[in-house]
Amino acid sequence: MSASPRRWWRRRGLRFRVTLVVTVVALVPLFVLAALAGKLLGPLLVDSVDGELARVRDGASAVVAQGREPEPVPGIAVRVLDTAGTPVDGGAPPRIAGDDVRDLLAGLPARSPAEGVVPAWRWLGSVVTAPDGAQRLVAVGAPLVGARATVHDGSRWLLVVAVLGALVATVATAVAVRAVLRPVSRMQDSVRRLPPGHRLPVPAADDELRALATGFNALLARQEEAADRLRRFTGDAAHELRSPVASIRVQAEVAVANPDPALADETLRDVLDEAERLTALLDNLLALARSDAGELPSAQPVELVTLVRDVVARGARDRPRVRVSAVAGQAWASATHAEVELVLDNLLRNARAHAEEEIVVSVLASRSFARVVVDDDGPGIPVEHRARVFDRFYRLADDRARTSGGTGLGLAMVAELLRRRGGRATVGESPDGGARFEVSWRRHPG
């Protein structure tokens, strides 16, 4: 099927396509059967004539074998011939040629062709021994009157019946498809009138319509969940963006109103800090938006021990001190280098914001997962807040939160990046009394 017919076919409605397919499927076999029956009609007529002639021949042969003359049969010629085809019953020579006589002597049927208005004849014969020992050929025949017309008309009517049968199948299919699709139309009307927050009624029958309604309700639930999440995300993002922007504006107004160089220098430093916070917030928002859009690069093997050392070395001059404890010689995570680096940066930034003297980063490996554990000796995270610490824009209302100056997106992004790779992030208590963050990726098979 070329592009244009395929496009035309796809634009047709389901009812039209089903009806057309059933019509073609019904019409083709019916036409084939009609043509086959038309070809078999002639042999069937001849077989019927042969059956009747055989019955008459057997009766006449028995009579001739007793030395008597066979009785005439209406519509059937009964002749007694010698083995050369010459009549011995006193009648006129029959229309049986020499070759036909040999066929009759051999027990085979013979056929006399039509001549003008005289129709074709069908002959059967058998050899009988008369009481005087003479061999006699009993030949019985009947004209094949109207056989050709019967075959022609029968074939034509068979084709007419095939067309009528296909039309009946078409009408029945159209009615059946309309009845079957009526619940779909009702479901479509229900979808148009469905109020927000409502769901389609699920049919009681365990059929395709029930599966369709269930799937559509699940889609509605996912859409509403996504819409709610988007509204919350937009509101929280607007709130978080408003704070640094307002702070920058206020500080700039103070610097303009007070041209003191010392105050201006301090104000510019505060503006720089707020600008850096705003930049980090926008970067995190962009990363989460890409994550929500489903952008997931192909996983690659990432060696955690080396990457952890590199990330720690970049902030070696920052306080507090960071110590790496590589329990595993090598640990290969199934992710991307940028994702793992972003996770480690956020975890270390969070730990540096709360630790007092030391942060310990441990790299572990098991058969299925590669893990990184970050322990700090800060105030820790209360148990009641640990379940929500990875939520977006969630910050603790305690000393740990107030000293961080964070955006509330770093840990949420960590949890999202791990979830997309089949890993997870957990929080607990470190041996030093602070917070312990543990992240794990699926181990790369290589």
Side-chain angles (χ1 to χ4, degrees), residues 144-163:
L144 299 177
V145 180
R148 181 177 300 176
T150 301
V151 172
H152 180 269
D153 294 342
S155 300
R156 184 177 59 188
W157 280 108
L158 286 172
L159 293 176
V160 172
V161 171
V163 173

Tab-separated table of all heavy atoms in Angstrom, residues 144-163:
chain	number	residue	atom	x	y	z
A	144	LEU	N	-28.975	-34.547	-23.133
A	144	LEU	CA	-28.570	-33.554	-22.117
A	144	LEU	C	-29.223	-32.226	-22.462
A	144	LEU	O	-28.563	-31.235	-22.830
A	144	LEU	CB	-27.053	-33.432	-22.077
A	144	LEU	CG	-26.290	-34.716	-21.718
A	144	LEU	CD1	-24.790	-34.485	-21.781
A	144	LEU	CD2	-26.695	-35.205	-20.324
A	145	VAL	N	-30.550	-32.193	-22.368
A	145	VAL	CA	-31.302	-31.002	-22.754
A	145	VAL	C	-31.171	-29.944	-21.659
A	145	VAL	O	-31.422	-30.218	-20.479
A	145	VAL	CB	-32.780	-31.351	-22.991
A	145	VAL	CG1	-33.563	-30.096	-23.393
A	145	VAL	CG2	-32.902	-32.422	-24.059
A	146	GLY	N	-30.754	-28.728	-22.060
A	146	GLY	CA	-30.680	-27.608	-21.112
A	146	GLY	C	-29.520	-27.675	-20.137
A	146	GLY	O	-29.482	-26.879	-19.195
A	147	ALA	N	-28.572	-28.610	-20.341
A	147	ALA	CA	-27.465	-28.717	-19.386
A	147	ALA	C	-26.589	-27.459	-19.408
A	147	ALA	O	-26.210	-26.926	-18.359
A	147	ALA	CB	-26.636	-29.957	-19.706
A	148	ARG	N	-26.267	-26.966	-20.602
A	148	ARG	CA	-25.419	-25.790	-20.695
A	148	ARG	C	-26.096	-24.563	-20.089
A	148	ARG	O	-25.469	-23.789	-19.346
A	148	ARG	CB	-25.065	-25.525	-22.151
A	148	ARG	CG	-24.164	-24.319	-22.359
A	148	ARG	CD	-23.801	-24.148	-23.815
A	148	ARG	NE	-23.101	-25.339	-24.319
A	148	ARG	CZ	-22.733	-25.491	-25.592
A	148	ARG	NH1	-23.019	-24.547	-26.488
A	148	ARG	NH2	-22.105	-26.587	-25.986
A	149	ALA	N	-27.385	-24.399	-20.418
A	149	ALA	CA	-28.120	-23.263	-19.851
A	149	ALA	C	-28.230	-23.381	-18.338
A	149	ALA	O	-28.134	-22.386	-17.609
A	149	ALA	CB	-29.517	-23.180	-20.478
A	150	THR	N	-28.397	-24.618	-17.870
A	150	THR	CA	-28.486	-24.818	-16.415
A	150	THR	C	-27.178	-24.438	-15.722
A	150	THR	O	-27.173	-23.781	-14.678
A	150	THR	CB	-28.832	-26.281	-16.115
A	150	THR	OG1	-30.087	-26.607	-16.738
A	150	THR	CG2	-28.927	-26.517	-14.629
A	151	VAL	N	-26.062	-24.859	-16.330
A	151	VAL	CA	-24.763	-24.526	-15.750
A	151	VAL	C	-24.545	-23.009	-15.785
A	151	VAL	O	-24.090	-22.408	-14.799
A	151	VAL	CB	-23.641	-25.270	-16.494
A	151	VAL	CG1	-22.279	-24.768	-16.026
A	151	VAL	CG2	-23.761	-26.772	-16.271
A	152	HIS	N	-24.866	-22.378	-16.902
A	152	HIS	CA	-24.670	-20.935	-17.032
A	152	HIS	C	-25.536	-20.175	-16.040
A	152	HIS	O	-25.055	-19.299	-15.298
A	152	HIS	CB	-24.987	-20.505	-18.469
A	152	HIS	CG	-24.819	-19.034	-18.703
A	152	HIS	ND1	-25.854	-18.143	-18.545
A	152	HIS	CD2	-23.729	-18.307	-19.069
A	152	HIS	CE1	-25.430	-16.929	-18.808
A	152	HIS	NE2	-24.138	-16.990	-19.136
A	153	ASP	N	-26.836	-20.496	-16.005
A	153	ASP	CA	-27.737	-19.790	-15.096
A	153	ASP	C	-27.404	-20.085	-13.638
A	153	ASP	O	-27.480	-19.208	-12.775
A	153	ASP	CB	-29.189	-20.189	-15.400
A	153	ASP	CG	-29.638	-19.709	-16.770
A	153	ASP	OD1	-28.970	-18.801	-17.318
A	153	ASP	OD2	-30.633	-20.248	-17.285
A	154	GLY	N	-27.036	-21.328	-13.371
A	154	GLY	CA	-26.687	-21.680	-11.991
A	154	GLY	C	-25.457	-20.915	-11.503
A	154	GLY	O	-25.423	-20.427	-10.370
A	155	SER	N	-24.446	-20.802	-12.372
A	155	SER	CA	-23.242	-20.045	-11.987
A	155	SER	C	-23.580	-18.585	-11.740
A	155	SER	O	-23.086	-17.966	-10.777
A	155	SER	CB	-22.186	-20.165	-13.084
A	155	SER	OG	-21.820	-21.518	-13.295
A	156	ARG	N	-24.438	-18.033	-12.612
A	156	ARG	CA	-24.803	-16.626	-12.440
A	156	ARG	C	-25.573	-16.400	-11.148
A	156	ARG	O	-25.301	-15.442	-10.404
A	156	ARG	CB	-25.639	-16.180	-13.637
A	156	ARG	CG	-26.008	-14.699	-13.610
A	156	ARG	CD	-26.770	-14.319	-14.852
A	156	ARG	NE	-27.989	-15.117	-14.963
A	156	ARG	CZ	-28.788	-15.113	-16.031
A	156	ARG	NH1	-28.464	-14.372	-17.078
A	156	ARG	NH2	-29.872	-15.845	-16.058
A	157	TRP	N	-26.495	-17.298	-10.843
A	157	TRP	CA	-27.258	-17.133	-9.612
A	157	TRP	C	-26.392	-17.365	-8.372
A	157	TRP	O	-26.622	-16.743	-7.330
A	157	TRP	CB	-28.455	-18.081	-9.607
A	157	TRP	CG	-29.600	-17.552	-10.421
A	157	TRP	CD1	-30.046	-18.006	-11.627
A	157	TRP	CD2	-30.424	-16.442	-10.075
A	157	TRP	NE1	-31.098	-17.258	-12.078
A	157	TRP	CE2	-31.358	-16.263	-11.129
A	157	TRP	CE3	-30.478	-15.565	-9.005
A	157	TRP	CZ2	-32.319	-15.274	-11.117
A	157	TRP	CZ3	-31.447	-14.572	-8.991
A	157	TRP	CH2	-32.348	-14.438	-10.043
A	158	LEU	N	-25.421	-18.234	-8.517
A	158	LEU	CA	-24.502	-18.424	-7.386
A	158	LEU	C	-23.717	-17.138	-7.097
A	158	LEU	O	-23.497	-16.776	-5.938
A	158	LEU	CB	-23.545	-19.578	-7.672
A	158	LEU	CG	-24.139	-20.988	-7.574
A	158	LEU	CD1	-23.133	-22.022	-8.062
A	158	LEU	CD2	-24.548	-21.294	-6.131
A	159	LEU	N	-23.302	-16.445	-8.144
A	159	LEU	CA	-22.612	-15.170	-7.943
A	159	LEU	C	-23.546	-14.121	-7.348
A	159	LEU	O	-23.133	-13.323	-6.492
A	159	LEU	CB	-22.051	-14.671	-9.280
A	159	LEU	CG	-20.927	-15.516	-9.898
A	159	LEU	CD1	-20.531	-14.964	-11.257
A	159	LEU	CD2	-19.722	-15.550	-8.965
A	160	VAL	N	-24.814	-14.125	-7.791
A	160	VAL	CA	-25.782	-13.194	-7.220
A	160	VAL	C	-25.976	-13.475	-5.733
A	160	VAL	O	-26.028	-12.559	-4.896
A	160	VAL	CB	-27.121	-13.281	-7.981
A	160	VAL	CG1	-28.197	-12.465	-7.266
A	160	VAL	CG2	-26.955	-12.784	-9.411
A	161	VAL	N	-26.078	-14.765	-5.402
A	161	VAL	CA	-26.219	-15.131	-3.988
A	161	VAL	C	-24.991	-14.699	-3.189
A	161	VAL	O	-25.096	-14.248	-2.041
A	161	VAL	CB	-26.464	-16.649	-3.867
A	161	VAL	CG1	-26.390	-17.086	-2.415
A	161	VAL	CG2	-27.823	-17.003	-4.447
A	162	ALA	N	-23.794	-14.829	-3.794
A	162	ALA	CA	-22.576	-14.406	-3.106
A	162	ALA	C	-22.607	-12.908	-2.819
A	162	ALA	O	-22.249	-12.455	-1.723
A	162	ALA	CB	-21.349	-14.758	-3.956
A	163	VAL	N	-23.050	-12.114	-3.807
A	163	VAL	CA	-23.139	-10.674	-3.594
A	163	VAL	C	-24.165	-10.352	-2.511
A	163	VAL	O	-23.924	-9.511	-1.624
A	163	VAL	CB	-23.487	-9.970	-4.917
A	163	VAL	CG1	-23.752	-8.489	-4.680
A	163	VAL	CG2	-22.373	-10.150	-5.931
